[in-house]
Protein backbone atom coordinates (compact mmCIF):
# COMPACT_ATOMS: atom_id res chain seq x y z
CA UNK A 1 0.00 0.00 0.00
CA UNK A 2 1.27 3.46 -0.91
CA UNK A 3 2.16 5.86 1.89
CA UNK A 4 -0.65 8.10 3.11
CA UNK A 5 -0.55 11.52 1.45
CA UNK A 6 -0.93 14.78 3.36
CA UNK A 7 -2.60 17.38 1.15
CA UNK A 8 -2.68 21.06 2.16
CA UNK A 9 -4.36 22.95 -0.69
CA UNK A 10 -7.59 22.69 -2.66
CA UNK A 11 -5.88 22.53 -6.10
CA UNK A 12 -3.56 19.72 -4.95
CA UNK A 13 -6.51 17.77 -3.55
CA UNK A 14 -8.52 18.25 -6.71
CA UNK A 15 -5.61 17.08 -8.86
CA UNK A 16 -5.18 13.91 -6.78
CA UNK A 17 -8.91 13.16 -6.79
CA UNK A 18 -9.13 13.74 -10.53
CA UNK A 19 -6.31 11.21 -11.13
CA UNK A 20 -8.16 8.61 -9.09
CA UNK A 21 -11.47 9.25 -10.82
CA UNK A 22 -9.88 9.02 -14.30
CA UNK A 23 -8.73 5.52 -13.30
CA UNK A 24 -12.32 4.61 -12.43
CA UNK A 25 -11.65 4.44 -8.68
CA UNK A 26 -14.42 5.10 -6.16
CA UNK A 27 -13.48 7.92 -3.79
CA UNK A 28 -14.85 8.16 -0.25
CA UNK A 29 -14.67 11.16 2.09
CA UNK A 30 -14.90 11.31 5.89
CA UNK A 31 -15.06 14.99 6.92
CA UNK A 32 -13.77 15.69 10.45
CA UNK A 33 -12.46 18.51 12.61
CA UNK A 34 -9.74 16.23 13.99
CA UNK A 35 -9.17 15.12 17.60
CA UNK A 36 -10.24 11.75 16.27
CA UNK A 37 -11.93 9.10 18.40
CA UNK A 38 -13.39 5.63 17.85
CA UNK A 39 -16.53 7.09 16.28
CA UNK A 40 -14.52 8.80 13.54
CA UNK A 41 -12.46 5.67 12.98
CA UNK A 42 -15.62 3.57 12.56
CA UNK A 43 -16.56 5.88 9.67
CA UNK A 44 -13.09 5.47 8.20
CA UNK A 45 -13.35 1.68 8.38
CA UNK A 46 -16.75 1.77 6.68
CA UNK A 47 -15.35 3.99 3.92
CA UNK A 48 -12.32 1.71 3.55
CA UNK A 49 -14.59 -1.32 3.02
CA UNK A 50 -16.74 0.46 0.42
CA UNK A 51 -14.28 2.58 -1.59
CA UNK A 52 -11.07 2.24 -3.56
CA UNK A 53 -9.61 5.44 -2.13
CA UNK A 54 -10.42 7.10 1.20
CA UNK A 55 -9.79 10.75 2.10
CA UNK A 56 -10.22 12.10 5.63
CA UNK A 57 -10.41 15.87 5.94
CA UNK A 58 -9.15 17.52 9.13
CA UNK A 59 -10.18 21.15 9.37
CA UNK A 60 -11.48 23.06 12.38
CA UNK A 61 -13.90 25.30 10.53
CA UNK A 62 -14.14 28.80 12.06
CA UNK A 63 -17.33 29.60 10.15
CA UNK A 64 -19.41 27.18 12.22
CA UNK A 65 -18.41 28.62 15.61
CA UNK A 66 -20.22 31.57 17.12
CA UNK A 67 -18.27 34.41 18.82
CA UNK A 68 -18.91 32.97 22.30
CA UNK A 69 -18.21 29.36 21.31
CA UNK A 70 -15.16 27.16 21.73
CA UNK A 71 -13.19 27.57 18.46
CA UNK A 72 -10.01 28.46 20.32
CA UNK A 73 -10.45 25.65 22.84
CA UNK A 74 -11.54 23.00 20.35
CA UNK A 75 -9.17 20.03 20.81
CA UNK A 76 -6.46 19.57 18.20
CA UNK A 77 -4.13 16.57 17.93
CA UNK A 78 -2.75 16.53 14.37
CA UNK A 79 0.16 14.15 14.97
CA UNK A 80 -1.94 11.59 16.81
CA UNK A 81 -4.69 11.88 14.18
CA UNK A 82 -2.30 11.26 11.29
CA UNK A 83 -0.83 8.18 12.99
CA UNK A 84 -4.30 6.74 13.61
CA UNK A 85 -5.34 7.36 10.00
CA UNK A 86 -2.18 5.82 8.60
CA UNK A 87 -2.86 2.67 10.66
CA UNK A 88 -6.44 2.67 9.33
CA UNK A 89 -5.22 2.59 5.74
CA UNK A 90 -6.37 6.07 4.69
CA UNK A 91 -5.03 7.14 1.30
CA UNK A 92 -4.95 10.89 1.87
CA UNK A 93 -5.52 13.42 4.63
CA UNK A 94 -6.79 16.77 3.41
CA UNK A 95 -5.63 19.21 6.08
CA UNK A 96 -5.76 22.77 4.75
CA UNK A 97 -5.06 25.94 6.71
CA UNK A 98 -7.78 28.49 7.35
CA UNK A 99 -6.08 30.73 4.79
CA UNK A 100 -6.15 27.98 2.16
CA UNK A 101 -9.89 27.50 2.65
CA UNK A 102 -10.86 31.13 3.19
CA UNK A 103 -8.29 33.40 1.58
CA UNK A 104 -8.50 37.15 1.99
CA UNK A 105 -11.64 38.43 0.30
CA UNK A 106 -13.58 35.18 0.60
CA UNK A 107 -17.21 36.33 0.46
CA UNK A 108 -19.37 33.36 -0.54
CA UNK A 109 -21.46 31.15 1.73
CA UNK A 110 -23.95 28.31 1.33
CA UNK A 111 -27.15 28.17 3.35
CA UNK A 112 -29.98 25.67 3.75
CA UNK A 113 -33.27 27.23 4.86
CA UNK A 114 -36.67 25.99 5.99
CA UNK A 115 -37.80 23.45 8.61
CA UNK A 116 -34.45 21.67 8.78
CA UNK A 117 -32.91 24.71 10.47
CA UNK A 118 -35.93 25.94 12.43
CA UNK A 119 -35.45 23.88 15.60
CA UNK A 120 -32.92 21.93 17.68
CA UNK A 121 -29.42 23.44 17.46
CA UNK A 122 -30.08 26.03 14.75
CA UNK A 123 -31.85 28.80 16.74
CA UNK A 124 -29.27 28.50 19.50
CA UNK A 125 -26.25 28.61 17.18
CA UNK A 126 -26.92 31.37 14.62
CA UNK A 127 -24.82 30.90 11.51
CA UNK A 128 -23.64 27.42 12.52
CA UNK A 129 -25.32 25.48 9.73
CA UNK A 130 -24.39 28.10 7.16
CA UNK A 131 -20.79 27.50 8.20
CA UNK A 132 -21.26 23.73 7.98
CA UNK A 133 -22.94 23.91 4.57
CA UNK A 134 -20.23 26.23 3.23
CA UNK A 135 -17.28 24.13 4.37
CA UNK A 136 -18.81 20.82 3.26
CA UNK A 137 -19.58 22.28 -0.17
CA UNK A 138 -15.93 23.30 -0.42
CA UNK A 139 -14.76 19.87 0.75
CA UNK A 140 -16.96 18.21 -1.86
CA UNK A 141 -15.45 20.38 -4.58
CA UNK A 142 -11.93 19.68 -3.33
CA UNK A 143 -12.15 15.91 -2.77
CA UNK A 144 -14.62 15.03 -5.57
CA UNK A 145 -16.03 12.06 -3.56
CA UNK A 146 -18.55 9.54 -4.76
CA UNK A 147 -19.61 8.82 -1.16
CA UNK A 148 -19.32 10.82 2.09
CA UNK A 149 -19.74 9.48 5.65
CA UNK A 150 -21.21 11.31 8.65
CA UNK A 151 -22.21 10.24 12.17
CA UNK A 152 -25.79 10.01 13.40
CA UNK A 153 -24.96 11.89 16.62
CA UNK A 154 -25.06 15.06 14.50
CA UNK A 155 -28.52 14.23 13.16
CA UNK A 156 -29.49 17.78 12.23
CA UNK A 157 -26.20 18.28 10.41
CA UNK A 158 -26.76 15.07 8.46
CA UNK A 159 -30.28 16.16 7.46
CA UNK A 160 -28.99 19.56 6.32
CA UNK A 161 -26.19 18.00 4.28
CA UNK A 162 -28.49 15.50 2.62
CA UNK A 163 -30.74 18.39 1.58
CA UNK A 164 -27.76 20.41 0.34
CA UNK A 165 -26.43 17.46 -1.67
CA UNK A 166 -29.80 16.92 -3.36
CA UNK A 167 -30.54 20.58 -3.97
CA UNK A 168 -27.13 21.36 -5.51
CA UNK A 169 -27.00 18.16 -7.57
CA UNK A 170 -23.67 16.92 -6.26
CA UNK A 171 -24.42 13.29 -7.13
CA UNK A 172 -22.70 12.21 -3.90
CA UNK A 173 -24.16 9.44 -1.75
CA UNK A 174 -24.46 10.47 1.90
CA UNK A 175 -24.06 7.67 4.44
CA UNK A 176 -25.10 8.34 8.05
CA UNK A 177 -23.57 5.76 10.40
CA UNK A 178 -24.75 4.81 13.91
CA UNK A 179 -23.50 6.74 16.92
CA UNK A 180 -20.56 5.10 18.70
CA UNK A 181 -20.85 5.24 22.49
CA UNK A 182 -18.60 4.90 25.50
CA UNK A 183 -19.39 2.02 27.91
CA UNK A 184 -21.82 4.14 29.98
CA UNK A 185 -23.70 5.31 26.89
CA UNK A 186 -22.11 8.74 26.40
CA UNK A 187 -21.95 9.51 22.67
CA UNK A 188 -18.34 9.79 21.55
CA UNK A 189 -17.34 13.35 20.70
CA UNK A 190 -14.12 15.30 20.45
CA UNK A 191 -15.67 17.73 22.93
CA UNK A 192 -15.80 15.03 25.62
CA UNK A 193 -12.14 15.83 26.27
CA UNK A 194 -13.30 19.09 27.87
CA UNK A 195 -15.32 17.32 30.58
CA UNK A 196 -14.00 17.12 34.12
CA UNK A 197 -13.84 13.65 35.69
CA UNK A 198 -17.03 14.35 37.63
CA UNK A 199 -18.91 15.70 34.63
CA UNK A 200 -17.82 12.74 32.54
CA UNK A 201 -19.51 10.48 35.10
CA UNK A 202 -22.66 12.61 34.92
CA UNK A 203 -22.77 12.96 31.11
CA UNK A 204 -24.33 9.52 30.35
CA UNK A 205 -27.57 10.87 31.83
CA UNK A 206 -28.29 12.32 28.37
CA UNK A 207 -28.40 8.84 26.87
CA UNK A 208 -30.38 7.50 29.83
CA UNK A 209 -32.97 10.24 29.25
CA UNK A 210 -33.25 9.37 25.57
CA UNK A 211 -33.58 5.71 26.44
CA UNK A 212 -36.36 6.57 28.91
CA UNK A 213 -38.16 8.36 26.10
CA UNK A 214 -37.77 5.33 23.84
CA UNK A 215 -39.08 3.08 26.63
CA UNK A 216 -42.11 5.34 27.06
CA UNK A 217 -42.83 4.96 23.36
CA UNK A 218 -42.46 1.19 23.77
CA UNK A 219 -45.11 1.29 26.52
CA UNK A 220 -47.52 2.93 24.11
CA UNK A 221 -47.09 6.63 24.96
CA UNK A 222 -47.78 8.58 21.78
CA UNK A 223 -48.26 12.17 22.97
CA UNK A 224 -45.14 14.28 22.63
CA UNK A 225 -45.67 15.83 26.07
CA UNK A 226 -45.75 12.42 27.75
CA UNK A 227 -42.49 11.25 26.19
CA UNK A 228 -40.77 14.54 27.00
CA UNK A 229 -41.91 14.24 30.61
CA UNK A 230 -40.30 10.79 30.86
CA UNK A 231 -37.00 12.20 29.62
CA UNK A 232 -37.13 15.24 31.90
CA UNK A 233 -37.57 13.05 34.99
CA UNK A 234 -34.28 11.31 34.23
CA UNK A 235 -32.39 14.55 33.53
CA UNK A 236 -33.65 16.06 36.78
CA UNK A 237 -31.51 13.55 38.70
CA UNK A 238 -28.36 15.43 37.59
CA UNK A 239 -28.84 19.11 38.52
CA UNK A 240 -25.38 20.04 37.20
CA UNK A 241 -26.60 19.19 33.68
CA UNK A 242 -27.93 22.43 32.18
CA UNK A 243 -30.38 21.36 29.49
CA UNK A 244 -30.41 23.64 26.45
CA UNK A 245 -33.19 21.81 24.65
CA UNK A 246 -35.14 18.58 24.73
CA UNK A 247 -37.25 17.93 21.65
CA UNK A 248 -39.09 15.36 19.58
CA UNK A 249 -39.33 15.87 15.81
CA UNK A 250 -39.92 13.94 12.62
CA UNK A 251 -36.63 12.16 11.92
CA UNK A 252 -36.57 13.17 8.25
CA UNK A 253 -38.08 16.66 8.12
CA UNK A 254 -37.19 17.74 11.71
CA UNK A 255 -40.66 19.23 12.03
CA UNK A 256 -42.52 19.03 15.38
CA UNK A 257 -45.02 16.21 15.84
CA UNK A 258 -47.61 16.50 18.67
CA UNK A 259 -48.49 12.81 18.31
CA UNK A 260 -45.68 10.37 17.55
CA UNK A 261 -45.82 8.29 14.40
CA UNK A 262 -43.36 6.89 11.87
CA UNK A 263 -39.67 7.68 12.37
CA UNK A 264 -39.18 10.17 15.17
CA UNK A 265 -36.03 11.77 16.57
CA UNK A 266 -35.63 12.22 20.32
CA UNK A 267 -32.97 14.91 20.75
CA UNK A 268 -31.19 16.65 23.62
CA UNK A 269 -28.49 19.30 24.03
CA UNK A 270 -26.98 20.25 27.38
CA UNK A 271 -24.01 21.91 29.01
CA UNK A 272 -21.76 20.32 31.58
CA UNK A 273 -19.28 22.90 32.80
CA UNK A 274 -18.02 24.66 29.66
CA UNK A 275 -18.74 21.69 27.40
CA UNK A 276 -21.83 21.46 25.21
CA UNK A 277 -23.03 17.95 24.39
CA UNK A 278 -25.70 16.72 21.99
CA UNK A 279 -27.27 13.30 21.55
CA UNK A 280 -30.30 11.67 19.95
CA UNK A 281 -32.13 8.43 19.31
CA UNK A 282 -34.39 7.48 16.40
CA UNK A 283 -37.56 5.52 17.20
CA UNK A 284 -39.88 3.80 14.77
CA UNK A 285 -43.39 4.33 16.10
CA UNK A 286 -46.24 2.11 15.02
CA UNK A 287 -49.83 3.24 15.38
Amino acid sequence: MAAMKIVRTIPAMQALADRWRRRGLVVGLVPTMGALHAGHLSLVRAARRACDRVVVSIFVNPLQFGPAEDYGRYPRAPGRDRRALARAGVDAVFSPSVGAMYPTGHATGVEVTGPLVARLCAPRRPGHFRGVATVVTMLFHAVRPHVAWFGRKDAQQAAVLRRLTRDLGFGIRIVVAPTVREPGGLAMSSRNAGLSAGDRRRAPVLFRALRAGREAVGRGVRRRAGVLAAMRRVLAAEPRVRVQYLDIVDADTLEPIPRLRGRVLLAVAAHLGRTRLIDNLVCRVSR
Side-chain angles (χ1 to χ4, degrees):
M1 180 180 290
M4 184 177 74
K5 297 175 174 61
I6 308 297
V7 186
R8 303 288 188 186
T9 69
I10 291 173
M13 187 68 250
Q14 288 172 329
L16 177 60
D18 285 344
R19 288 199 296 273
W20 288 338
R21 291 180 70 113
R22 282 196 296 270
R23 292 167 56 192
L25 301 175
V26 176
V27 179
L29 168 65
V30 180
T32 83
M33 293 204 299
L36 303 180
H37 51 67
H40 294 117
L41 296 176
S42 72
L43 301 180
V44 172
R45 288 192 296 272
R48 182 73 283 168
R49 290 191 296 269
C51 298
D52 301 307
R53 295 292 183 269
V54 175
V55 179
V56 175
S57 63
I58 297 178
F59 180 65
V60 184
N61 175 34
L63 294 191
Q64 67 192 71
F65 290 82
E69 293 185 341
D70 57 349
Y71 175 72
R73 301 193 314 273
Y74 195 86
R76 294 162 171 85
R80 189 191 70 189
D81 289 348
R82 286 194 293 269
R83 291 190 294 272
L85 295 175
R87 290 193 297 270
V90 166
D91 297 285
V93 175
F94 179 45
S95 184
S97 66
V98 173
M101 290 292 279
Y102 307 123
T104 301
H106 187 278
T108 300
V110 179
E111 189 164 13
V112 174
T113 60
L116 292 179
V117 289
R119 298 177 72 85
L120 305 180
C121 292
R124 297 158 177 90
R125 303 188 70 189
H128 170 72
F129 287 107
R130 186 178 194 275
V132 169
T134 299
V135 76
V136 170
T137 297
M138 296 179 72
L139 291 173
F140 284 173
H141 281 303
V143 179
R144 318 266 211 245
H146 297 85
V147 193
W149 273 262
F150 298 89
R152 191 171 293 153
K153 178 180 74 69
D154 299 298
Q156 187 169 24
Q157 172 180 278
V160 166
L161 295 177
R162 276 180 164 152
R163 180 81 266 170
L164 176 148
T165 303
R166 289 195 297 268
D167 287 352
L168 299 187
F170 277 114
I172 296 168
R173 183 164 67 92
I174 302 296
V175 178
V176 182
T179 300
V180 177
R181 298 183 181 278
E182 297 184 6
L186 175 64
M188 288 193 173
S189 170
S190 300
R191 287 189 166 91
N192 292 354
L195 294 168
S196 69
D199 284 343
R200 200 176 191 98
R201 289 192 297 271
R202 298 177 185 97
V205 75
L206 272 66
F207 180 58
R208 293 199 299 273
L210 293 169
R211 197 167 53 192
R214 182 174 63 188
E215 289 166 358
V217 173
R219 294 193 301 272
V221 180
R222 293 292 179 268
R223 298 296 299 177
R224 176 178 181 273
V227 178
L228 287 173
M231 293 192 283
R232 288 195 186 100
R233 284 193 291 271
V234 175
L235 289 166
E238 292 287 359
R240 281 183 56 87
V241 175
R242 305 190 312 279
V243 176
Q244 188 179 64
Y245 67 74
L246 191 63
D247 209 347
I248 302 174
V249 296
D250 181 278
D252 299 312
T253 67
L254 305 189
E255 293 180 283
I257 41 175
R259 185 169 180 83
L260 278 60
R261 63 185 184 278
R263 292 179 71 251
V264 301
L265 183 77
L266 314 181
V268 61
H271 286 90
L272 270 166
R274 300 172 71 187
T275 302
R276 181 179 184 271
L277 302 175
I278 62 172
D279 202 354
N280 62 79
L281 280 178
V282 174
C283 296
R284 294 186 181 273
V285 183
S286 58
R287 292 185 180 275

